[in-house]
């Protein structure tokens, strides 16, 4: 029988900590397959903001749980010295099929498809007792965990908050049910035709950075959520969608190009064609001081509240 990894074992290997540690137990089934367990409890902080009165585990945290089990499976090979950040370089064909709610136990499964010295590819899925909740193709890679920003941020530029912005945080909150600690955009700068510009100012005080003393970068799964919330706010602002809510449905492809640090101003540039269907689909590029740091093609559904 293969070794069972309890929480102490997991924490010896993995850098994540509360509130971003999303594995409770794990086991290696064979040289290619691992299984993990995450119990979903109402006592978890993200349920305060996702959503008040209607708690749902965010789909991107399901993705992060799949990433973490995959990381656990190969960390000793990708980072034998414990000197690297094992990050989510790319995800493809992500499907969010059913919600996970307080009281659910989730089974996480991952299969190693390719494994080299500094990159690994997986096929993963997450299930509840009701069936498959989400699935993804995941690529992990390594980068220097001691890397730091190269320069001070460019302050007071064209993307800083102004009275002429399309939506301040109050207007965003009027449209969306997301609240602390899972409201991840600060304002919407503009919306012209199919093009949307939103902004997230990243600060070290956010709960996502309480997870470890060294890795102070925004998790790539959270960047996916930032893109989705930016598009969702703008679609819900359209008169025909008044009173509705948005659910993250899928990611065709997302790719991390550079880490995002506290102090960065994250500019979300989203192209979201108008559609008569209940689905919103678009492509997004995120930049910091003009440099591309993340790309994603995504889809969400607009449904009655």
């Amino acid at each position: 029988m293969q070794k069972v990894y309890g929480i102490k074992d997991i924490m010896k290997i993995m850098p994540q900590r509360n509130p971003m540690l999303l594995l409770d137990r794990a086991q290696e089934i064979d040289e290619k397959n691992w299984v993990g367990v995450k119990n979903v409890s109402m006592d978890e902080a993200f349920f305060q903001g996702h959503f008040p009165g209607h708690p749902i585990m965010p789909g991107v945290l399901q993705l992060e749980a799949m990433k973490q089990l995959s990381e656990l499976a190969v960390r000793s090979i990708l980072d034998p010295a414990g000197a690297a950040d094992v990050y989510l370089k790319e995800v493809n064909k992500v499907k969010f099929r059913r919600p996970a709610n307080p009281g659910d136990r989730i089974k996480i499964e991952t299969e190693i498809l390719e494994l080299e010295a500094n990159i690994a590819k997986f096929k993963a899925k997450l299930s509840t007792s009701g069936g498959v909740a989400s699935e993804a193709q995941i690529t992990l890679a390594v980068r220097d965990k001691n890397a730091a920003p190269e320069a001070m941020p460019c302050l007071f530029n064209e993307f800083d908050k102004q009275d002429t912005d399309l939506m301040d945080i109050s207007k965003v909150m009027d449209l969306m049910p997301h609240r602390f600690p899972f409201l991840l955009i600060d304002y919407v700068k503009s919306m012209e035709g199919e093009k949307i510009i939103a902004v997230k100012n990243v600060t070290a005080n956010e709960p996502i950075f309480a997870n470890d003393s060294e890795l102070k970068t925004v998790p790539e799964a959270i960047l996916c959520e930032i893109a989705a919330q930016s598009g969702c706010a703008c679609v819900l602002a359209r008169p025909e969608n008044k009173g509705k809510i948005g659910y993250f449905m899928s990611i065709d492809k997302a790719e991390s190009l550079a880490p995002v640090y506290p102090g960065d101003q994250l500019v979300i540039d989203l192209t979201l064609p108008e559609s008569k269907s209940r689905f919103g689909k678009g492509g997004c590029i995120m930049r910091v001081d003009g440099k591309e740091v993340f790309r994603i093609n995504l889809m969400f559904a607009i449904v009655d509240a």
Side-chain angles (χ1 to χ4, degrees):
M1 183 176 178
Q2 297 291 350
K3 174 180 171 65
V4 173
Y5 291 75
I7 192 61
K8 289 184 179 180
D9 301 309
I10 292 169
M11 292 175 71
K12 287 178 181 178
I13 299 169
M14 303 285 286
Q16 292 86 356
R17 296 294 182 267
N18 178 54
M20 288 298 292
L21 179 57
L22 297 170
L23 290 176
D24 290 326
R25 203 170 300 172
Q27 185 177 28
E28 180 184 6
I29 304 303
D30 56 40
E31 63 180 12
K32 289 188 176 182
N33 294 278
W34 284 63
V35 63
V37 171
K38 167 75 177 95
N39 285 346
V40 184
S41 170
M42 189 59 198
D43 203 29
E44 297 183 84
F46 56 78
F47 283 127
Q48 296 178 48
H50 198 276
F51 301 105
H54 185 47
I56 298 174
M57 182 181 184
V60 297
L61 295 188
Q62 296 182 28
L63 175 61
E64 178 66 17
M66 290 186 274
K67 181 263 184 183
Q68 290 182 17
L69 180 63
S70 302
E71 178 181 349
L72 182 66
V74 298
R75 178 169 270 279
S76 63
I77 298 171
L78 293 186
D79 181 33
D85 172 17
V86 179
Y87 72 102
L88 188 59
K89 178 178 175 58
E90 187 174 304
V91 291
N92 292 277
K93 299 181 180 179
V94 183
K95 304 289 185 183
F96 301 114
R97 299 193 179 278
R98 64 174 64 239
N101 304 104
D104 280 335
R105 294 193 298 169
I106 58 178
K107 178 182 180 182
I108 311 147
E109 299 170 85
T110 192
E111 178 186 358
I112 302 170
L113 302 178
E114 296 181 30
L115 179 57
E116 300 177 5
N118 58 1
I119 198 165
K121 296 183 179 182
F122 305 82
K123 179 173 66 175
K125 68 178 179 180
L126 182 149
S127 304
T128 69
S129 59
V132 175
S134 54
E135 55 191 339
Q137 295 180 5
I138 291 171
T139 300
L140 300 182
V142 295
R143 61 191 175 195
D144 183 2
K145 72 176 180 181
N146 297 313
E150 297 177 353
M152 289 292 287
C154 178
L155 294 175
F156 312 138
N157 56 54
E158 61 181 305
F159 299 108
D160 277 288
K161 187 167 68 68
Q162 300 176 7
D163 292 340
T164 55
D165 293 343
L166 181 66
M167 299 182 206
D168 62 12
I169 192 59
S170 296
K171 291 181 180 178
V172 171
M173 293 174 70
D174 284 343
L175 293 171
M176 295 169 52
H178 303 71
R179 294 295 183 268
F180 174 86
F182 224 74
L183 178 56
L184 299 173
I185 57 173
D186 290 321
Y187 51 96
V188 176
K189 192 72 180 173
S190 63
M191 182 168 61
E192 298 179 3
E194 299 178 348
K195 189 178 182 66
I196 299 148
I197 301 292
V199 175
K200 165 66 177 169
N201 291 322
V202 181
T203 177
N205 280 337
E206 298 184 67
I208 57 173
F209 293 123
N211 76 96
D212 179 70
S213 61
E214 293 181 317
L215 300 179
K216 298 300 185 185
T217 58
V218 179
E220 289 74 27
I222 297 297
L223 293 175
C224 294
E225 179 70 13
I226 291 170
Q229 289 189 21
S230 301
C232 190
C234 292
V235 170
L236 293 177
R238 294 170 181 167
E240 65 270 22
N241 294 324
K242 184 177 181 180
K244 296 184 178 181
I245 58 175
Y247 284 113
F248 210 162
M249 295 295 293
S250 67
I251 301 169
D252 289 339
K253 181 178 180 180
E255 182 180 10
S256 175
L257 305 174
V260 178
Y261 298 102
D264 283 342
Q265 181 187 67
L266 191 61
V267 177
I268 304 105
D269 186 338
L270 183 68
T271 301
L272 194 67
E274 291 195 28
S275 172
K276 295 182 179 179
S277 77
R278 66 186 184 96
F279 298 102
K281 188 173 184 179
C284 176
I285 298 174
M286 298 185 186
R287 298 179 176 88
V288 172
D289 289 336
K291 177 183 177 181
E292 292 187 15
V293 295
F294 195 74
R295 296 175 182 168
I296 182 171
N297 294 316
L298 54 80
M299 183 171 70
F300 52 87
I302 304 299
V303 300
D304 293 331

